[in-house]
Amino acid sequence: MKFNLDGLDVYFPYERIYLEQYQYMLSLKRTLDAGGHCLLEMPTGTGKTVCLLSLITSYQYAHPGDCGKLVYCTRTVPEMDGVMEELGIVLAHRAEHLAMERSASSNGGGGGGGGGDYDAAKNNDGDDATTTTATTAAASASSGNVVDSAAPPSSSSPSDGGRAHQAAKRRRVYRREGGRRTSSSPRRNMGPSAYDDGYGAGGSGVLALCLSSRRNMCVHEGVLASSDREGVDSACRSMTAPWAIERADRARRRRRGGDGSGEEVGGGGSSSYGTCSYFDGFREAGEATSMPSGVYDLDEIKKWGKSKNWCPYYLTRRAINHATVLVFNYQYMLDPKVAKMVSKEIESESIIVFDEAHNIDSVCIEAFSVTIHSRNLERATRSLGRLSGEVNRVKATDGARLQAEYRNLVNGLIEQGLLDGDGGGGDGDGAVVVRNGDGGLGLASNVLSEDVVNESVPGNIRRAEHFIAFMKKIVEHLKARLRTVSGPGGGVTSETPLAFLHRMVTTTSLEAKPLKFSYARLSSLLRTLQVPNLDDYDALTDVADFASLVATYSEGLPRFAVIMEPDVGGGGIGGPGDNPGIQLACLDSSLAIAPLFKRFGSVIITSGTLSPIDLYPKLLQFSPCISASFNMSTFRPCIHPLVITRGSDQLPVSTRFQDRGDMAVVRNYGTMMVELCGTIPDGVVAFFTSYSYMESIISEWDGMGIMRQLTKSKLVFIETKDVVETTMALDNFRKACDSGRGAVFLSVARGKVSEGINFDRHYGRAVIMFGVPFQYTLSHILRARLEYLQTQYQIREQDFLNFDALRQTSQCVGRVIRSKTDYGLMILADSRYNRHDKRSKLPKWILQFLGDGQLNLSTDAAIGQVKHFLRIMSQPVDQNSLKEVLLTVEEVEALAGGDSHAPFITGDA
């Protein structure tokens, strides 16, 4: 459909729309009009992604000169692919409308709207013309030309006849229900557009790209032979580094001067000179590496780049400035290591979207935190030894290179490009390589550019040998500090960056100013020594990063804490105290995201589980112009939350620390699991508060014979910390559900499964949350952050802990439903959920289904409600009732006309 929303023509790719989708898009539109930021909580499974893409791409089309890129940030590669698929559908639908409008206009139809234009095209050209238009609008697998943006269409409303024809035609292409794609829907083809009218993707030449790590975008067979990210990055750099290219160019010139023969390309993309043929092709094409408009997911851009003999990774990096829509990981916007290289040239008028952003404060903190173990310090010492040997070798063979570096270091960091690179790579974790303006390789620092003065590198670390001695002193000081922590009289120590820096300067006689430049100086040295495998020096880069951050943020408000522990993470082989470590913990989550709020006009933070939503402005230190949480419109109670507080023996159940070891609680939880799995068909997912608690309770259940009883009704699969094992368990879980055997998946809150895996339809008829997933309150980093929040933002300790635990609970139970025709049970098994201060922090779309009769239940009473709910939900879906919650174009425009001058909709359906 095409409808007018508060003066904006919105191209929405489905015949009908839910009320919450309309409210959500209206909130988005008013946010963009105001040029501000927003917080929006949208019920899960109600088409949030398609609403975001439809509204923002329509806004871009209506304001081509005032609106920049859409930068859509996701968490995982599968989510990225899903966004690109939805975008392909949205743009194909818009192209259909615009093609019909242009056809009608050229045939004397005037400036009619969407539906009228469909009628005009049908009446003038017949069914064949309509079918051809639909086919060309959906096509996207062949090459096209780069096109300019077209003028915006008229805003007239479609007529009844046009809508009917449009709906019938689109149903032949794909099937949808209420803005959610069904499992039988074919995947919309993507890639370069091939529109007959010459207007390109979306009817206006849209170029949509997604960017990921080298490992996910490389097409070189030899590089892909490395299974891990570090191996892929190292192999890629060894063939694309400036000195590798220069060496290959010299070899080519010598060969051509000798026998005149050309270059020989080896198998798998390798040239005979040790470089990558795809990167060579990309370099040789130069400015000719333009891309046709279209929607490119990772597979499409790899396929297209390979066909042109161009490196897909570097091709995407160059094409970013010309793209209309960008999709990539959070780290490309939040982590300074990557953001300076990838997003530094994105215009300030761009719209930034953080989807599934319920944990965005944690992502921001992780971007600025550094952990160094004692083993890392030993590796750093070895790295310094290798660097010293390399320096001596280069001195003997090519001393001019070191002299040139010394002269460059006299200039400011910005002037020589150490803080503001031009190109690079990485996937958001660990040290990241950047290609600086002079063509060298370096490391992107975690220090924000504006926090380091633009001046020359201090003289006492300009020479390579002096800098290596400087770094040795830092490493030895850190070793000494860890020895005092892990020694007989040691223990946990927490200091402010200023106190830690003062002690370091006093003990080592180092100056504070050179410490700020340690990371940038290391980057310059590694570049000068032409080191391709930077991962061999990751321990040393962590030390340099640590020193730079401590020195840079030592003054003013202490937004970091330096915490030294005798056993970090319990990872020691020889027992407690065998794994001492030092952690620079960022306490202020606004530090990473503040530049985005300052730089971009609109930052949209959205998720299905943002409640309690009022805490995010305090945590991130911004003022949203709109903050809203929406109810779910539904034709039947498809969600049934239950709060179980007692077992069958009427004893309370809880995972409180003082109760979790009680055998009565363990037995009641086990009996509850067995009875629920015996009653609920297909798939059941159970979440525990931590890996250790899950392991202990499974062990106890096994001893009680509960696991044996459980396997009689369902197969049991368990999430582990190993990603490969968990992936295999998930695949087998789905196979068991598909075969009708049924299965239960035991998982952990805050784990991989709780964040990115959906258990829709028969894969998740129920989610059981055992306990309230509070963070480990004895964590010293958490204690430091809680103290900081209390002191600086007046956020009480218990308020933050409840907020964090309940958003994790909401994220876990939200896995159970992914569409309006889906249904599932949300079982909260802990007596604390019966308290108002806990359950009131659940999202509104869950609370609307939680009545008084579903609180304070025993296991027996809950089983009765489960049977009743499943008996009702198993009946065929009433299509007429489903249509009652879907709005037609007339109803949408009547709603828009009725509240065009009314106050803002708060989200209550």
Side-chain angles (χ1 to χ4, degrees):
M1 68 166 67
K2 171 189 170 184
F3 62 93
N4 187 280
L5 178 68
D6 202 19
L8 174 69
D9 285 337
V10 177
Y11 297 89
F12 190 74
Y14 309 109
E15 296 91 346
R16 293 169 179 254
I17 187 173
Y18 295 122
L19 176 61
E20 61 267 31
Q21 289 179 322
Y22 169 82
Q23 295 174 330
Y24 186 76
M25 287 193 284
L26 182 60
S27 302
L28 286 171
K29 199 266 180 182
R30 293 182 176 177
T31 298
L32 299 181
D33 286 343
H37 317 302
C38 69
L39 280 166
L40 299 176
E41 184 179 61
M42 178 74 157
T44 183
T46 52
K48 168 167 50 67
T49 302
V50 74
C51 288
L52 279 164
L53 296 174
S54 296
L55 188 284
I56 297 177
T57 55
S58 297
Y59 199 90
Q60 286 178 312
Y61 184 70
H63 305 86
D66 302 327
C67 189
K69 297 177 182 12
L70 163 59
V71 181
Y72 198 109
C73 300
T74 65
R75 299 171 301 175
T76 63
V77 172
E79 288 179 356
M80 185 185 301
D81 288 338
V83 171
M84 299 304 283
E85 184 177 354
E86 294 276 11
L87 182 61
I89 294 172
V90 169
L91 294 180
H93 170 74
R94 189 174 85 186
E96 293 177 33
H97 264 284
L98 296 180
M100 288 298 180
E101 290 173 1
R102 290 166 184 140
S103 176
S105 182
S106 64
N107 288 314
D117 292 335
Y118 276 102
D119 279 342
K122 186 174 88 169
N123 293 335
N124 286 314
D125 301 325
D127 291 338
D128 291 339
T130 303
T131 304
T132 301
T133 304
T135 304
T136 57
S140 56
S142 60
S143 62
N145 297 321
V146 179
V147 295
D148 296 327
S149 297
S154 63
S155 59
S156 302
S157 302
S159 67
D160 294 339
R163 267 195 319 277
H165 175 71
Q166 172 192 359
K169 175 170 62 63
R170 211 162 52 246
R171 276 196 294 271
R172 292 197 295 269
V173 180
Y174 55 87
R175 291 175 52 244
R176 281 274 176 151
E177 48 183 46
R180 297 292 302 177
R181 187 173 58 258
T182 62
S183 59
S184 61
S185 303
R187 186 176 182 270
R188 174 73 72 171
N189 292 330
M190 290 181 284
S193 61
Y195 297 96
D196 289 353
D197 59 6
Y199 285 94
S204 60
V206 173
L207 176 61
L209 301 171
C210 56
L211 178 65
S212 186
S213 63
R214 287 180 172 90
R215 181 180 59 180
N216 294 327
M217 301 190 72
C218 183
V219 292
H220 190 290
E221 295 177 5
V223 173
L224 290 176
S226 302
S227 59
D228 58 343
R229 179 191 65 82
E230 292 80 5
V232 170
D233 287 352
S234 176
C236 178
R237 292 168 195 150
S238 67
M239 291 189 286
T240 60
W243 53 85
I245 300 300
E246 182 181 352
R247 185 168 56 244
D249 289 343
R250 287 198 301 266
R252 288 189 186 96
R253 288 192 294 269
R254 285 196 302 268
R255 183 168 185 173
R256 288 167 183 163
D259 56 13
S261 61
E263 178 181 0
E264 298 176 0
V265 179
S270 297
S271 73
S272 57
Y273 302 103
T275 58
C276 173
S277 63
Y278 297 109
F279 184 73
D280 291 342
F282 170 77
R283 283 197 313 126
E284 291 170 3
E287 294 301 322
T289 54
S290 59
M291 297 179 66
S293 68
V295 179
Y296 297 83
D297 63 2
L298 292 176
D299 290 337
E300 280 296 331
I301 199 167
K302 286 163 67 176
K303 185 190 307 180
W304 195 80
K306 194 170 185 178
S307 69
K308 295 285 187 179
N309 198 37
W310 295 343
C311 172
Y313 177 77
Y314 285 99
L315 172 64
T316 306
R317 293 294 301 272
R318 178 173 291 180
I320 279 180
N321 291 337
H322 307 287
T324 314
V325 180
L326 295 172
V327 181
F328 43 55
N329 190 274
Y330 280 25
Q331 310 295 347
Y332 288 94
M333 295 301 294
L334 294 176
D335 192 338
K337 292 189 183 82
V338 190
K340 293 173 189 173
M341 306 176 301
V342 176
S343 58
K344 65 186 179 66
E345 294 184 1
I346 295 177
E347 55 266 44
S348 60
E349 296 81 12
S350 297
I351 302 165
I352 313 299
V353 175
F354 289 102
D355 195 8
E356 300 298 336
H358 45 277
N359 286 331
I360 191 170
D361 58 311
S362 300
V363 176
C364 293
I365 281 178
E366 290 170 5
F368 275 83
S369 298
V370 181
T371 300
I372 301 174
H373 299 275
S374 57
R375 295 189 299 270
N376 298 118
L377 294 177
E378 295 300 331
R379 290 176 55 204
T381 300
R382 292 193 293 270
S383 296
L384 287 170
R386 288 198 300 271
L387 277 182
S388 181
E390 279 294 303
V391 168
N392 291 333
R393 183 187 64 80
V394 172
K395 268 186 177 181
T397 59
D398 191 6
R401 200 195 308 170
L402 290 174
Q403 281 299 115
E405 182 202 30
Y406 179 84
R407 289 192 298 269
N408 287 336
L409 290 176
V410 177
N411 302 322
L413 293 178
I414 300 297
E415 291 182 23
Q416 60 168 313
L418 287 176
L419 290 183
D420 206 0
D422 182 21
D427 55 1
D429 50 359
V432 184
V433 177
V434 302
R435 186 174 305 282
N436 294 307
D438 59 357
L441 285 180
L443 291 167
S445 174
N446 231 350
V447 180
L448 296 177
S449 299
E450 58 267 27
D451 293 321
V452 176
V453 290
N454 184 15
E455 56 183 308
S456 60
V457 173
N460 56 350
I461 59 172
R462 287 179 192 165
R463 294 199 177 277
E465 57 270 27
H466 296 168
F467 174 68
I468 291 174
F470 178 85
M471 290 301 299
K472 284 181 179 178
K473 286 188 176 183
I474 297 175
V475 172
E476 291 303 320
H477 175 74
L478 296 180
K479 286 182 179 180
R481 293 300 307 268
L482 288 184
R483 282 195 294 270
T484 61
V485 169
S486 57
V492 177
T493 303
S494 179
E495 298 177 2
T496 65
L498 181 60
F500 185 90
L501 179 65
H502 180 266
R503 184 165 179 174
M504 176 185 287
V505 169
T506 303
T507 305
T508 62
S509 300
L510 297 175
E511 297 179 13
K513 182 180 177 180
L515 289 171
K516 295 182 180 181
F517 296 86
S518 55
Y519 203 105
R521 181 64 186 92
L522 178 61
S523 169
S524 174
L525 181 58
L526 292 175
R527 181 183 60 184
T528 302
L529 297 177
Q530 300 179 355
V531 176
N533 191 4
L534 296 181
D535 295 300
D536 291 341
Y537 296 88
D538 57 354
L540 184 60
T541 58
D542 284 343
V543 173
D545 194 16
F546 176 90
S548 296
L549 285 169
V550 167
T552 302
Y553 296 108
S554 60
E555 299 176 0
L557 183 68
R559 294 186 286 184
F560 289 82
V562 181
I563 298 174
M564 292 164 283
E565 298 184 68
D567 190 20
V568 176
I573 298 176
D578 191 53
N579 188 36
I582 181 169
Q583 303 170 81
L584 179 65
C586 179
L587 308 177
D588 189 355
S589 54
S590 68
L591 193 61
I593 201 171
L596 300 186
F597 290 135
K598 181 179 179 181
R599 176 181 168 193
F600 298 105
S602 293
V603 177
I604 297 164
I605 297 176
T606 185
S607 177
T609 52
L610 286 178
S611 294
I613 203 169
D614 58 339
L615 211 55
Y616 285 93
K618 292 183 179 179
L619 291 173
L620 303 179
Q621 287 297 289
F622 78 111
S623 300
C625 63
I626 292 178
S627 179
S629 179
F630 303 100
N631 283 338
M632 179 187 292
S633 61
T634 180
F635 65 100
R636 61 176 184 171
C638 56
I639 299 174
H640 196 70
L642 297 172
V643 177
I644 301 179
T645 61
R646 291 164 286 128
S648 299
D649 56 5
Q650 303 303 311
L651 292 177
V653 291
S654 176
T655 60
R656 278 190 296 255
F657 185 76
Q658 59 268 31
D659 296 335
R660 63 176 52 185
D662 190 337
M663 286 298 104
V665 173
V666 175
R667 184 181 63 255
N668 276 324
Y669 273 148
T671 304
M672 184 190 306
M673 173 71 87
V674 170
E675 293 186 18
L676 287 171
C677 289
T679 304
I680 301 169
D682 300 320
V684 175
V685 186
F687 288 97
F688 297 85
T689 55
S690 65
Y691 281 106
S692 60
Y693 180 62
M694 180 177 70
E695 291 167 1
S696 66
I697 202 169
I698 289 175
S699 177
E700 295 291 347
W701 284 354
D702 188 48
M704 295 177 178
I706 290 173
M707 296 300 293
R708 192 162 50 253
Q709 297 178 47
L710 191 59
T711 54
K712 292 179 181 179
S713 57
K714 296 189 186 300
L715 297 180
V716 180
F717 300 92
I718 302 174
E719 176 187 6
T720 67
K721 295 180 181 180
D722 186 272
V723 176
V724 177
E725 288 182 358
T726 300
T727 302
M728 293 177 61
L730 278 170
D731 290 341
N732 290 322
F733 169 82
R734 295 183 185 278
K735 290 178 182 177
C737 294
D738 291 336
S739 67
R741 175 66 172 85
V744 57
F745 198 93
L746 307 183
S747 186
V748 174
R750 306 177 198 277
K752 296 292 184 183
V753 173
S754 68
E755 285 297 326
I757 307 299
N758 296 325
F759 295 91
D760 57 333
R761 299 178 291 117
H762 62 292
Y763 298 124
R765 288 303 177 204
V767 171
I768 309 169
M769 184 71 237
F770 288 108
V772 184
F774 286 108
Q775 293 191 53
Y776 180 55
T777 53
L778 297 182
S779 165
H780 298 284
I781 293 179
L782 177 61
R783 301 306 308 174
R785 189 183 181 196
L786 291 174
E787 182 180 351
Y788 178 84
L789 293 176
Q790 172 72 52
T791 304
Q792 301 302 327
Y793 302 145
Q794 290 73 53
I795 298 175
R796 295 190 308 157
E797 174 181 314
Q798 198 58 42
D799 289 343
F800 177 79
L801 291 174
N802 284 335
F803 154 80
D804 183 70
L806 269 296
R807 67 174 168 178
Q808 298 302 328
T809 298
S810 302
Q811 184 65 16
C812 291
V813 298
R815 304 294 91 199
V816 77
I817 185 166
R818 306 309 300 172
S819 73
K820 294 294 180 71
T821 56
D822 197 6
Y823 62 90
L825 293 148
M826 298 179 176
I827 299 172
L828 306 175
D830 194 297
S831 58
R832 289 172 289 181
Y833 286 115
N834 201 52
R835 293 166 49 182
H836 183 267
D837 68 317
K838 295 291 189 297
R839 68 173 187 271
S840 63
K841 290 180 173 56
L842 293 170
K844 290 174 63 176
W845 59 271
I846 295 179
L847 290 176
Q848 75 181 87
F849 297 100
L850 184 59
D852 292 339
Q854 294 150 249
L855 302 173
N856 198 24
L857 301 175
S858 64
T859 300
D860 294 338
I863 293 296
Q865 291 202 28
V866 167
K867 291 179 178 179
H868 178 71
F869 172 77
L870 293 174
R871 188 162 51 248
I872 295 174
M873 290 296 107
S874 62
Q875 303 305 312
V877 174
D878 186 350
Q879 296 296 330
N880 292 327
S881 299
L882 176 58
K883 290 180 180 178
E884 291 179 1
V885 298
L886 288 166
L887 305 177
T888 63
V889 172
E890 294 89 349
E891 291 170 330
V892 169
E893 295 188 344
L895 188 62
D899 74 349
S900 59
H901 301 289
F904 171 69
I905 296 175
T906 61
D908 296 322

